[in-house]
Amino acid sequence: MDKGHLSIRKKISTNDDELETPTQVWTTRCNAGAVRRAGRRLLHMYDTILAPTGLKQCQYGILSALNARGAALPSVQELAEELVLDRSTLGQNLRPLERDNFVTLLTDPRDRRVRLIALTKLGIAKFNEAKPYWQKAQERFEEVFGAEEAAKLRSVWLSIAYNPELGKTANEGK
C-alpha cells in the first residue's frame, strides 16, 4: 500500500519583502487514498456546519434525495443505488432518521417484500431547517475553491461515482 510521503514546497511570493515559507504537502499515488482524505476533510466541514440541526451530511443527503423525489417513493434498493451506498449502510443511516420520525418505511402494496421510504412531515421540516446550514457549507467550499472549480470537481466526482466500469472487479472488467 502506498503510504505517501511528505514533500516540502516553497511558497512563491510576488512581493520581494516577503520571505518564502516552506509548506508541507502530503502526496500519494493512490487515487482511493486521496479521495478518502479529501472526503474526510470535506465531510468534517459539512458535519460541523450542520451540527446545530442534529444531522450528519449523510442523513441530510438522504432527506434531500427523498425531498427531491416528491411523492415518488423509492425502495431501499433504489435509494441505495442513487446514493451509491450498499443496502446495509443505507439501513444504518436510515435507523436514526426513522427513530426521530423524519422518514418512515412502508410496505410496497405491489410487492410486500419491498420496503419503500417516505419522508414524513417532520422530515420535511428537518430538511428545511437544515438546508440553510447545508447552503452555508456549499458556499464555504466554493469560497475556498471557487464556484467554477467546485462545479468541475462535482462533475468529476459524479462521473467516478456512477461509472459502471469502476463497480466491476478486475476479473469482471476483462
Side-chain angles (χ1 to χ4, degrees), residues 25-174:
V25 179
W26 284 97
T27 61
T28 182
R29 290 189 33 130
C30 179
N31 299 313
V35 167
R36 279 203 179 249
R37 291 172 193 174
R40 283 190 294 266
R41 173 73 64 184
L42 197 55
L43 285 172
H44 177 73
M45 182 194 75
Y46 274 79
D47 285 347
T48 300
I49 293 172
L50 282 166
T53 70
L55 294 176
K56 297 282 190 186
Q57 169 55 34
C58 189
Q59 294 168 328
Y60 176 83
I62 291 169
L63 296 181
S64 179
L66 292 170
N67 187 67
R69 286 174 161 266
L73 303 182
S75 68
V76 171
Q77 182 63 39
E78 288 169 341
L79 189 61
E81 288 172 6
E82 179 180 332
L83 297 175
V84 193
L85 292 170
D86 58 69
R87 285 177 55 136
S88 64
T89 302
L90 177 58
Q92 290 169 358
N93 285 291
L94 283 172
R95 274 193 275 288
L97 295 174
E98 189 177 21
R99 177 198 66 219
D100 294 339
N101 199 29
F102 299 145
V103 301
T104 188
L105 295 176
L106 307 167
T107 301
D108 187 338
R110 293 169 291 161
D111 184 345
R112 299 196 53 77
R113 297 170 296 176
V114 176
R115 304 284 282 166
L116 302 175
I117 309 166
L119 192 56
T120 65
K121 287 181 181 180
L122 197 56
I124 293 168
K126 180 55 79 171
F127 169 74
N128 288 329
E129 173 196 341
K131 191 171 183 177
Y133 291 91
W134 172 84
Q135 186 62 44
K136 181 179 177 186
Q138 286 286 102
E139 290 167 2
R140 174 70 178 130
F141 184 76
E142 291 183 2
E143 174 186 310
V144 172
F145 283 93
E148 189 175 319
E149 194 63 28
K152 288 178 189 175
L153 282 170
R154 277 191 308 277
S155 177
V156 169
W157 292 331
L158 290 171
S159 70
I160 292 168
Y162 295 105
N163 185 320
E165 288 299 312
L166 293 175
K168 296 178 182 178
T169 64
N171 293 334
E172 290 176 316
K174 292 181 181 180

